[in-house]
Amino acid sequence: MSFDKILALGQTALELGLVNALTVLALFLSYTMLNVCDLSTDGCFTLGAAVGAVVAMAGYPLLSLPAAMLAGMLSGFVTALLQTRMGIQSLLAGIVVNTALYSVNMAITGNKAQLNMNKTETVFTFAKTFLKDTPLSGQSKLIVEMIAVILVVLFLCFFLSTKLGLAIRATGSNADMVRSSSINPVFTTTVGLCISNAFTALSGCLMAQQQKSFDINLGNGMVTVALASLLIGGVFFGKTRNVPLRAVGAVIGAFLFRVVYALALRLDMPAFMLKAVSSIIVVLAISGPYLRTQIPTWLRAWRASREGGRV
Amino acid sequence: MLRMKDVSKTFSPGTPDAKLALDHLNLDVHEGDFISIIGANGAGKSTLFNAICGTFLVDSGSILLDGRNVTMIPEHTRARQIGRLFQDPMRGTAPDMSIEENLALAAGMGGWLSRVSSHDKKTFRDKLALLDMHLEDRMKQPVGLLSGGQRQALTLLMATYHVPKLLLLDEHTAALDPATAEKVLDMTRSIVEENHITCLMITHNMQSALDLGNRTLMMHQGHIIYDVTGDERKHLTVRDLTDKFRQISGKALDNDRMLLGVG
């Protein structure tokens, strides 16, 4: 592989990784901090893409970002409402919202499964025009994404050290204790899911605009991909309890996931294997520590049964 | 201070498992009371605490706290006036967060977006030093690393950070080794006395039920069957209490832990 190719590969991995990093950061908030596995992530990612695409195509590229985030926030609010006020289990609430979002997304795009944004002005083309004649003009994609990721990381670092952020973390750790601190865990769960879904939607919005196309299946499997990235990132800074470091770890995880994936494609892995690979990573990362304690027990039981047979 | 009028609670009503956990219970707690509560398992002691805290809403009756009717007020709102410690030292703190962060939540600080200031940190440090467990040097460590006794002491500090109107202790030393239990109990006594907190304490240790506080309640099948204070209480022995129980309830106390006075 030539140096140019490696560079191009790294660049693509970085671009896709940074967009995905926003979803990974969203899960960092909901999954790692709030301890809620938000299965509406797939639909919310597509929701952000749909809203962003429609608003950008209407001629408001800059407005598309806050619009997508607002839509994501609404979606997160509904998921939170279902699980905190209507007695639906957390996982089921996410799945139900995810299913409904398919219809919502189709309604937003006007019953179109694909939208073409080749001639649409997006935040990326906007940045390109803005950076014209500067040395950075070729890297407008990276710059837009980098700014978004840095802002989100900074926001999370600040937010998670505020009283509200601490309360959200405590809700994931011990909801009883939150209640006895006179804070309603219903409130903290709702705020946490609204914010995390806003980031997921932002991620989807940037993904569609970067690819210059929207597809109704854009978000499929996103929750597993993001979870895999999050767990890969946890390998680096998982041991530390320092929140900023762990947030950076999540971003690195998203990038590494893309690098591994790009390398696998180079080695002739068919592209459709992406989702199987991410599933396997999630399974290994979560069940690994469990198996490590269980396998010696199994071995012992097996040996004991063999010896027992001989006596 | 606390007044419970005709409070009833049935679990699983309308099923064969229906259990009347509180049966038209009446209780008047006066300002500054330190009440110990004894009774066999299933007598309704913890249910009484849950009713006071608002863990569930009672089926009938009313609960007045400091003159205000709190019967329908949600648990987290009541928590502003009520501190509570459980038998399980894990329940009062968030294990994944540091000592400092746990204290920050108990302290409540300012608005939602306020952060721990260096002034807050100093206050936390001073308060932790009072526990005499060297926790003030471990403020950045996760609470999950602390021992049960340390966690329970920290929970006590958190529950009384803002002096509550009412402190509920649900066998809060039962899961600790005897020496640590003694230490936590001493700590409890001094914090309660210093701040004149009205306190209810469930215990299985009959001796400490008599030694601590100014009033003792005995519960059986959702009723308060014996309520003793003043001179009569001063002359009571553990033997008197068990006799009393047999006399009123018509059967012997079936709880070995209570008879032996351990736990």
Side-chain angles (χ1 to χ4, degrees), chain A residues 157-167 169-174 176-185 187-188 241 243, chain B residues 75-76 79-80 90-98 101-102 104-106 108-116 140-142 158:
Chain A
C157 294
F158 166 78
F159 180 70
L160 288 170
S161 69
T162 63
K163 177 175 158 188
L164 182 53
L166 287 180
R169 290 172 56 196
T171 308
S173 189
N174 181 356
D176 274 342
M177 176 261 189
V178 173
R179 245 175 253 118
S180 54
S181 307
S182 317
I183 296 170
N184 191 353
F187 173 69
T188 51
R241 293 181 348 88
V243 171
Chain B
E75 186 177 12
H76 66 271
R80 272 182 215 135
M90 307 299 148
R91 276 183 78 170
T93 46
D96 301 333
M97 295 167 69
S98 67
E101 289 163 342
N102 271 277
L105 277 174
M109 306 186 290
W112 283 116
L113 294 182
S114 62
R115 304 167 74 191
V116 181
K140 295 281 178 200
Q141 284 186 20
M158 288 166 61

Side-chain angles (χ1 to χ4, degrees), chain B residues 100 103-104 107 109-110 114-127 139 161:
Chain B
E100 182 183 302
L103 276 170
M109 306 186 290
S114 62
R115 304 167 74 191
V116 181
S117 66
S118 53
H119 176 258
D120 293 330
K121 280 183 196 170
K122 190 173 175 314
T123 316
F124 296 163
R125 178 173 281 276
D126 293 345
K127 291 221 175 209
M139 298 234 297
Y161 194 96

Side-chain angles (χ1 to χ4, degrees), chain B residues 22 50 52 54 81 88 108 152 177 180 188 194 221 233 242:
Chain B
L22 294 178
N50 286 337
I52 297 172
Q81 301 178 319
D88 179 0
Q152 203 65 313
D177 67 76
T180 316
T188 311
E194 223 166 88
Q221 294 179 345
R233 183 171 179 270
T242 51

